[in-house]
């Protein structure tokens, strides 16, 4: 039996060909004591626990210690024999143990066996799970590997608080599970879309070529409500330009269904003629099913958080009973309105250093020229200027009139603004005037917007975390750069070319982002 253990910075390895090991601390000066002496950890009892192997399984039992024994954070003192697995974290006092098995097995397989073992005592379900356990023990390694993948997916779907990382990880793992799959993607129905005609938002993909998806096949899977194996040679229908452009010859598509409605679609493909089989399709559909459950649960949690926030706001303004009555009759129509918008944040790079030696009149002339050139561009692309803040412009797309292309229009405006600044600087330099460069950040999300101020000075404004996040991306953009958030990219991924990046923020930590390189050329008919 091999046990690695550490206390503070001290690391040791215990290895002995025995089936049972006593754990504890040897008394000072004594030659008798436990098999594994955990000195100098004085929180370990002299006779603390026993670890043994029985029928190929490992068990541990606390033998009446003072400070107890924990397995994965769970106290097992007084619980009797407790089965552990080589990937478990065992704490004896302040010492951490790692038990290493001589039989290779994946973490997922051990977890699956643990879940199966715990289910064997649950009546008929236990009988079925026990049979599954017996079947698994004699199954081919590929079956065990896929079984383990699904168990891991179930556990992660139940515990994940942020699904984006899980979705990306799951796509990459699916490509490992399905041998002929070389590219994969997951798309969701846009919030503003309805049914099968909603915009498809890119949430995760794995491909060296960028996102590879046939929208025609994706919508077909969502419309049918079931997955399918597709081969180009067997389908004579016109399946759209994406199939030809990406050389899709074989593919698997599975919808993410929840209560009869498609939440999105999961797909993998191969640029050659792959031998996808029914087992591959079942694996993809099972993964899609669990992801749909996780997404539905996330939507429910977001709605509950929204209701909680509304109630908290009401409680600050109204007595509790009145707040409850308002909530009972539906969401209160407070002053203002909530909308999904796209926000563009733009300001001059190095403005303080640039202007510290300029005359005030020259600074104002430069700003007026800067604002007068860029504001019409925002207006031309359907945006509104929310406010000017020093050398910054905060523009909003999507209100007061809804714009289904607000995300793309904001990026078109950003590109046009950068182009205008190049022309402006060329003209100003020729006249010997100061020049400046701008950085632009674009982010989208929900805001509260409405009209504020006295009658003589009313103005429309937007409020919310989306505004703050947009300024973070704006601050991170270098001169002549446009940085957009994943929340914008997911809407326009088919229309633009980008370069992945990250931005450092003071309060939110490191955020993912994309540098906008260019708009893709529209295909010629």
């Amino acid at each position: 039996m091999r046990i690695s253990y550490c206390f503070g910075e001290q690391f040791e390895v215990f290895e002995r060909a025995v089936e049972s090991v006593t754990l504890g601390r040897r008394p000072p000066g004594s030659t008798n004591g436990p098999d594994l002496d955990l000195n100098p950890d004085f929180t370990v009892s002299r006779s603390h626990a026993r670890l043994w192997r029985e029928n190929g399984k490992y068990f541990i039992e606390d033998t009446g210690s003072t400070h107890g024994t924990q397995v994965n954070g769970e106290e097992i003192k007084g619980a009797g024999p407790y089965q552990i697995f080589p990937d478990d974290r065992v704490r004896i006092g302040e010492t951490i143990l790692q038990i290493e098995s001589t039989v290779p097995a994946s973490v997922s397989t051990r977890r699956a066996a643990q879940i199966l073992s715990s289910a064997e005592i649950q009546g008929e379900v236990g009988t079925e799970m026990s049979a599954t356990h017996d079947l698994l023990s004699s199954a081919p390694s590929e079956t065990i590997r896929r079984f383990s993948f699904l168990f891991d997916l179930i556990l992660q779907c139940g515990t994940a608080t942020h699904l984006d990382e899980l979705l990306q990880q799951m796509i990459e793992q699916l490509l490992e599970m399905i041998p002929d799959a070389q590219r994969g993607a997951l798309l969701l129905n846009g919030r503003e879309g309805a049914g099968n005609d909603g915009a498809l938002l890119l949430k995760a993909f794995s491909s060296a070529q960028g996102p590879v998806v046939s929208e025609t096949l994706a919508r077909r899977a969502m419309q049918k409500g079931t997955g399918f194996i597709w081969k180009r040679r067997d389908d004579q229908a016109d399946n759209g330009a994406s199939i030809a452009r990406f050389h899709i010859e074989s593919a698997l598509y599975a919808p993410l269904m929840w209560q009869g409605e498609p939440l999105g679609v999961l797909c993998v493909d191969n640029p050659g003629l792959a031998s996808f089989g029914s087992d591959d399709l079942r694996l993809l559909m099972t993964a899609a099913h669990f992801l749909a459950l996780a997404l539905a649960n996330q939507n429910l949690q977001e709605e509950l958080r929204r209701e909680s926030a509304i109630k908290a706001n009401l409680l600050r303004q109204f007595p509790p009973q009145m707040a409850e009555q308002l909530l009972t009759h539906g969401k209160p129509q407070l002053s203002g309105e909530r909308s999904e918008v796209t926000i563009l944040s733009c300001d001059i790079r190095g403005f303080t250093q640039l202007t510290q030696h300029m005359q005030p009149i020259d600074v104002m002339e430069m700003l007026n020229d800067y604002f007068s050139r860029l504001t019409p561009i925002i207006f031309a692309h359907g945006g509104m200027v929310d406010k000017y803040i020093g050398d910054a412009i905060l523009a909003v797309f999507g209100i007061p009139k809804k714009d289904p292309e607000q995300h793309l229009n904001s990026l078109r405006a950003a590109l046009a603004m950068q182009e205008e600044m190049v022309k402006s600087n060329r003209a100003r330099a020729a006249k010997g005037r100061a020049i400046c460069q701008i950085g632009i950040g674009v982010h989208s999300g929900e805001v509260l917007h409405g009209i504020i101020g006295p009658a003589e000075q009313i103005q429309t404004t937007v409020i919310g975390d989306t505004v703050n996040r947009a300024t973070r991306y704006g601050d991170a953009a270098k001169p002549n750069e446009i940085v957009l958030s994943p929340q914008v990219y997911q809407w326009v991924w088919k229309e633009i070319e980008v370069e992945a990046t990250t931005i450092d923020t003071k309060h939110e930590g490191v955020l993912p982002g994309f540098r906008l390189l260019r708009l893709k050329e529209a295909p010629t008919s």
Side-chain angles (χ1 to χ4, degrees):
M1 186 178 298
R2 180 183 175 89
I3 305 172
S4 304
Y5 60 101
C6 65
F7 172 68
E9 298 182 355
Q10 179 177 337
F11 179 84
E12 302 288 344
V13 175
F14 172 90
E15 188 166 8
R16 190 175 299 176
V18 293
E19 294 295 306
S20 178
V21 175
T22 58
L23 310 171
R25 184 168 53 85
R26 191 186 308 277
S30 173
T31 58
N32 297 318
D35 298 315
L36 178 54
D37 182 11
L38 297 176
N39 267 314
D41 184 354
F42 294 104
T43 61
V44 173
S45 299
R46 293 181 179 180
S47 176
H48 198 111
R50 185 170 74 95
L51 175 68
W52 71 96
R53 186 170 63 186
E54 182 179 325
N55 296 325
K57 299 179 180 180
Y58 288 94
F59 296 87
I60 191 170
E61 182 176 9
D62 188 287
T63 54
S65 68
T66 301
H67 294 94
T69 303
Q70 294 182 353
V71 178
N72 298 326
E74 179 182 353
E75 180 58 57
I76 65 165
K77 182 179 177 180
Y82 190 94
Q83 185 178 359
I84 60 172
F85 297 83
D87 58 295
D88 284 339
R89 181 184 178 91
V90 180
R91 177 182 287 272
I92 303 289
E94 296 298 326
T95 300
I96 304 299
L97 306 180
Q98 179 73 35
I99 296 85
E100 300 179 27
S101 173
T102 57
V103 180
S106 71
V107 171
S108 301
T109 303
R110 300 184 191 113
R111 288 297 189 202
Q114 185 179 31
I115 294 171
L116 288 170
S117 297
S118 65
E120 289 175 3
I121 61 173
Q122 298 178 14
E124 295 180 2
V125 175
T127 303
E128 294 177 4
M129 295 295 280
S130 179
T132 305
H133 183 272
D134 294 338
L135 178 63
L136 179 63
S137 63
S138 59
S141 59
E142 182 63 23
T143 301
I144 295 177
R145 202 162 69 97
R146 291 189 171 193
F147 188 81
S148 302
F149 162 72
L150 291 176
F151 262 101
D152 262 352
L153 181 59
I154 295 171
L155 293 174
Q156 292 182 69
C157 285
T159 59
T161 54
H162 302 287
L163 284 181
D164 289 347
E165 293 182 5
L166 171 61
L167 298 179
Q168 182 62 41
Q169 179 184 352
M170 190 276 308
I171 287 290
E172 294 170 358
Q173 289 178 343
L174 271 174
L175 296 184
E176 297 178 4
M177 294 295 110
I178 304 176
D180 282 350
Q182 294 188 14
R183 305 174 295 199
L186 188 148
L187 300 99
L188 299 183
N189 251 344
R191 185 180 300 178
E192 295 179 1
N196 299 319
D197 298 326
L200 294 179
L201 310 186
L202 179 69
K203 301 304 292 186
F205 72 92
S206 181
S207 170
Q209 302 168 264
V212 175
V213 177
S214 165
E215 284 198 60
T216 302
L217 296 180
R219 295 188 186 280
R220 183 184 303 177
M222 293 164 63
Q223 184 176 11
K224 289 183 175 181
T226 186
F228 55 81
I229 302 173
W230 181 87
K231 290 184 174 63
R232 189 176 186 181
R233 68 181 184 185
D234 298 332
D235 191 345
Q236 302 302 320
D238 182 6
N239 288 301
S242 297
I243 290 177
R245 183 166 68 254
F246 296 124
H247 306 289
I248 302 175
E249 295 293 333
S250 309
L252 297 172
Y253 277 74
L256 279 64
M257 302 298 296
W258 174 249
Q259 295 183 344
E261 292 294 327
L263 302 183
V265 66
L266 182 60
C267 62
V268 298
D269 79 277
N270 192 307
L273 192 59
S275 56
F276 292 130
S278 57
D279 287 345
D280 299 325
L281 180 59
R282 277 194 291 269
L283 177 67
L284 192 74
M285 290 181 64
T286 304
H289 172 71
F290 288 123
L291 288 174
L293 292 176
L295 289 165
N297 180 63
Q298 184 185 57
N299 292 339
L300 176 60
Q301 293 299 322
E302 288 179 355
E303 185 63 24
L304 290 174
R305 282 194 291 269
R306 186 191 302 274
E307 295 289 351
S308 178
I310 291 174
K311 184 174 181 179
N313 288 332
L314 287 174
L315 289 174
R316 284 196 291 267
Q317 296 176 285
F318 302 97
Q321 289 184 342
M322 186 177 295
E324 291 292 346
Q325 290 176 356
L326 288 170
L327 287 172
T328 301
H329 292 86
K331 295 180 182 179
Q333 298 298 315
L334 305 177
S335 59
E337 181 181 357
R338 292 190 179 275
S339 297
E340 290 282 336
V341 303
T342 303
I343 296 181
L344 181 153
S345 175
C346 162
D347 66 356
I348 296 174
R349 305 291 83 160
F351 180 75
T352 302
Q353 292 181 338
L354 174 66
T355 58
Q356 62 182 348
H357 299 302
M358 292 176 61
Q359 294 296 322
I361 190 171
D362 294 328
V363 174
M364 296 306 298
E365 182 276 335
M366 183 181 70
L367 286 176
N368 287 331
D369 183 50
Y370 158 69
F371 289 144
S372 65
R373 288 175 178 270
L374 300 187
T375 301
I377 295 174
I378 296 170
F379 293 160
H381 290 86
M384 58 161 281
V385 174
D386 178 69
K387 58 178 68 75
Y388 301 103
I389 313 170
D391 62 309
I393 303 175
L394 194 70
V396 186
F397 296 77
I399 56 170
K401 183 179 179 180
K402 289 187 178 296
D403 180 7
E405 290 192 353
Q406 59 174 284
H407 309 89
L408 191 56
N409 282 336
S410 68
L411 299 183
R412 288 170 177 157
L415 286 169
M417 291 164 70
Q418 291 289 18
E419 291 173 0
E420 181 61 27
M421 287 302 297
V422 172
K423 296 177 184 177
S424 171
N425 286 335
R426 190 182 299 123
R428 291 180 65 84
K431 298 178 181 179
R433 294 178 178 174
I435 64 173
C436 59
Q437 294 174 314
I438 60 172
I440 300 176
V442 187
H443 177 58
S444 68
E446 186 181 78
V447 297
L448 176 65
H449 65 94
I451 297 176
I452 62 171
E456 305 82 28
Q457 299 176 341
I458 60 171
Q459 63 177 8
T460 300
T461 191
V462 291
I463 302 171
D465 184 66
T466 299
V467 181
N468 299 330
R469 187 63 62 91
T471 60
R472 304 288 187 272
Y473 283 97
D475 292 342
K478 297 177 182 177
N480 301 318
E481 267 193 0
I482 301 167
V483 178
L484 57 145
S485 70
Q487 288 74 15
V488 176
Y489 181 62
Q490 67 181 358
W491 287 92
V492 296
W493 58 276
K494 294 179 295 182
E495 313 290 343
I496 62 175
E497 292 182 18
V498 298
E499 180 182 83
T501 186
T502 57
I503 66 171
D504 292 323
T505 66
K506 183 177 181 180
H507 300 292
E508 294 92 342
V510 178
L511 299 176
F514 300 89
R515 292 190 185 92
L516 178 60
L517 302 180
R518 63 187 63 86
L519 294 177
K520 292 181 180 178
E521 295 182 4
T524 57
S525 57

